[in-house]
Amino acid sequence: MTAYKPGDPVSVRRLYGRQQNHKLRLGQAELVEKLLPQISVPQEGEITSERLFGDHRPLHFEIGFGSGEHMAYRADMLPDHGFIGAEPFLNGVVGALQHVRELHLPNVRLHMGNAIDVLERVPDGSLSFVYLLHPDPWPKARHAKRRMMNSGPVDLIARKLKPGGEFRFGTDHPIYVAHAMMVMNGHPAFDWLCERPKDFLTRPGGWPETRYEAKARAQGHEVWYFRYRRI
């Protein structure tokens, strides 16, 4: 068994920060009341494509989907795939619900809460893609253990991905880039899909620009894109 650092997200199930930023409007509250229960991931038991979608299909898992832009884009582009998104913050879940309604996405399931709680219930070797895009960088050294890009979560992701599956990580924070590269460098379960520096400075095909990313670029931030193949 992997010896995780004290405070690693896999060993400590704590969510930091406020889970709601502002009061919901009436239409948003109705989405949470009516649509969310229809597409929520079950609270208990194994999480499989057959259970969620009624058939066997490629499964994608997004950890912390923000307002759901990336997940909705991918789900719309790949209607015969299944998408699971986990996000602890209510306003982000509302954003995803709006995308699901407006784009008529039957292939999305949501969990409002800790992604680890759902990811652990996915059978090993079941996922085709895992996404971790612009997670909280926790830039202070004493908070580094809280980062999702740490040995515990990465080992868990490796177990859940099928051979040939892909783990995508993106960030605009230089401290997190250095930390992530240190964690992933030489990881026995992954091959880094990068042949030259510009490969991780150029957004890959099928990876849409979100509002967060556009805002980061407007502020003068560089954005890095990492793709890793499960061996």
Side-chain angles (χ1 to χ4, degrees):
M1 181 178 291
T2 304
Y4 302 137
K5 298 177 182 178
D8 184 287
V10 170
S11 61
V12 174
R13 306 304 172 85
R14 179 180 175 184
L15 297 173
Y16 299 89
R18 293 183 299 171
Q19 289 189 267
Q20 183 173 350
N21 293 330
H22 55 76
K23 186 177 180 180
L24 299 182
R25 297 189 296 273
L26 178 60
Q28 294 174 323
E30 288 181 349
L31 283 174
V32 174
E33 180 182 351
K34 297 179 181 179
L35 180 56
L36 182 58
Q38 297 175 26
I39 63 172
S40 285
V41 174
Q43 292 297 315
E44 298 180 350
E46 194 172 58
I47 303 301
T48 66
S49 66
E50 290 84 356
R51 185 180 185 191
L52 296 184
F53 304 105
D55 56 23
H56 182 70
R57 61 175 66 193
L59 277 182
H60 302 232
F61 195 106
E62 184 158 350
I63 300 171
F65 54 72
S67 62
E69 292 172 89
H70 172 272
M71 180 173 57
Y73 179 95
R74 297 282 289 170
D76 190 44
M77 183 175 68
L78 300 166
D80 56 342
H81 291 212
F83 289 77
I84 305 169
E87 170 61 50
F89 302 110
L90 178 59
N91 297 107
V93 171
V94 168
L97 290 170
Q98 290 172 326
H99 289 304
V100 169
R101 179 190 61 188
E102 292 166 7
L103 295 174
H104 306 287
L105 300 173
N107 57 333
V108 171
R109 297 294 181 267
L110 303 179
H111 172 71
M112 188 171 72
N114 195 326
I116 299 296
D117 294 338
V118 177
L119 193 58
E120 286 186 330
R121 292 189 286 132
V122 174
D124 291 354
S126 296
L127 298 177
S128 295
F129 283 85
V130 174
Y131 310 98
L132 177 62
L133 308 181
H134 299 281
D136 194 320
W138 295 111
K140 295 182 180 179
R142 68 176 183 273
H143 293 155
K145 62 189 177 183
R146 299 179 184 177
R147 295 171 185 156
M148 191 60 69
M149 189 63 97
N150 264 312
S151 59
V154 169
D155 289 346
L156 179 62
I157 290 168
R159 291 203 307 272
K160 302 308 174 179
L161 276 169
K162 62 178 58 178
E166 189 170 318
F167 173 36
R168 294 187 176 184
F169 165 70
T171 185
D172 64 312
H173 202 287
I175 292 178
Y176 210 160
V177 167
H179 176 85
M181 293 181 74
M182 178 182 67
V183 170
M184 296 300 296
N185 184 35
H187 194 291
F190 291 103
D191 276 336
W192 186 15
L193 300 178
C194 179
E195 297 180 357
R196 47 192 174 178
K198 77 173 187 178
D199 288 347
F200 64 92
L201 294 171
T202 304
R203 186 186 309 106
W207 188 327
E209 181 182 56
T210 63
R211 283 177 291 177
Y212 178 91
E213 183 181 328
K215 182 179 178 180
R217 289 195 182 281
Q219 294 173 341
H221 298 183
E222 184 60 88
V223 179
W224 294 273
Y225 310 89
F226 293 86
R227 299 173 58 222
Y228 298 95
R229 180 189 292 122
R230 180 67 167 91
I231 298 172

